[in-house]
Amino acid sequence: MPVLKSPPAHKNTGIEARCAATGMRMTEQRRVIARVLADSVDHPDVEELYRRCVAVDDKISISTVYRTVKLFEDAGIIERHDFREGRARYETMRDSHHDHLINLRTGEVIEFQSEDIERLQAEVARRLGYRLIDHRLELYAIPLDDKPKR
C-alpha cells in the first residue's frame, strides 16, 4: 500500500521570520506578500508586487499590498528605494551592504559590491572630519552601446 505524504510545508522566508521576531501578526495574505517579496530577484514596485500576489491569491487587494508593504517598511524588514521613476521600489533588508546601478533605458536594477568604493567613501568622510556610519550609492547609467537620439 502506498504511503501518503502530506504536501511539504512552505518554509518561512526571511521576511516571515523577521515579522515573527517583531511580534507582527501574520495573516495568510501577509504571508503571500512576504513570500512574493522574498522570491523577487528584482526590486518590484507595489503595482508589480500586487500583480504577482494576485497570481497566488486572487482575493488580495491592492490596498492590502500597500498597507502590508508600509508595515514591513516601518518595521525595518524591507527597504524602499526611489530610483527616479516616480514610484517606490522595494527589496528585502540584507545583512550585507550593496549598492545599485540603475539602467535608465530599461529600469533594470543591478546590485553590486565594491571594496574600493567602500574604502574611498570612508576615506572622504575621514578627510572631512567624519566617521562614515551608513550610505546609499545609486549609479544611474545607460549601456555603453546606447546610441544617442538625433
Side-chain angles (χ1 to χ4, degrees):
M1 179 184 256
V3 176
L4 297 176
K5 295 181 180 179
S6 57
H10 195 290
K11 185 180 167 198
N12 273 359
T13 66
I15 294 175
E16 288 176 273
R18 288 179 180 182
C19 290
T22 66
M24 187 181 299
R25 189 173 70 85
M26 289 300 285
T27 64
E28 191 52 40
Q29 290 184 333
R30 285 181 184 170
R31 279 186 193 9
V32 168
I33 295 165
R35 289 173 186 161
V36 169
L37 267 169
D39 291 343
S40 296
V41 294
D42 56 353
H43 298 68
D45 64 6
V46 173
E47 298 285 332
E48 179 58 31
L49 185 57
Y50 169 69
R51 280 190 285 279
R52 295 174 190 178
C53 289
V54 166
V56 176
D57 179 353
D58 64 0
K59 292 180 180 44
I60 292 178
S61 70
I62 187 77
S63 61
T64 296
V65 175
Y66 270 105
R67 280 193 310 273
T68 302
V69 163
K70 179 76 171 123
L71 185 68
F72 290 172
E73 181 187 0
D74 289 348
I77 294 166
I78 62 173
E79 188 172 9
R80 173 190 173 112
H81 295 283
D82 295 302
F83 294 135
R84 292 189 184 177
E85 305 163 312
R87 60 192 169 100
R89 294 171 66 170
Y90 298 89
E91 72 175 319
T92 304
M93 291 294 279
R94 296 249 209 44
D95 294 331
S96 62
H97 174 77
H98 65 277
D99 297 304
H100 299 97
L101 182 137
I102 298 91
N103 180 332
L104 292 174
R105 296 291 184 249
T106 66
E108 178 187 17
V109 178
I110 302 162
E111 295 179 347
F112 69 94
Q113 293 176 310
S114 169
E115 288 305 315
D116 292 337
I117 290 174
E118 298 305 312
R119 270 192 302 279
L120 181 58
Q121 291 173 131
E123 177 61 22
V124 167
R126 189 188 65 72
R127 283 184 194 165
L128 296 172
Y130 292 88
R131 182 171 43 92
L132 190 63
I133 301 298
D134 193 15
H135 78 277
R136 181 182 289 202
L137 178 64
E138 297 170 356
L139 304 175
Y140 296 89
I142 57 174
L144 288 173
D145 60 359
D146 193 55
K147 304 286 186 239
K149 295 190 168 128
R150 296 182 184 209

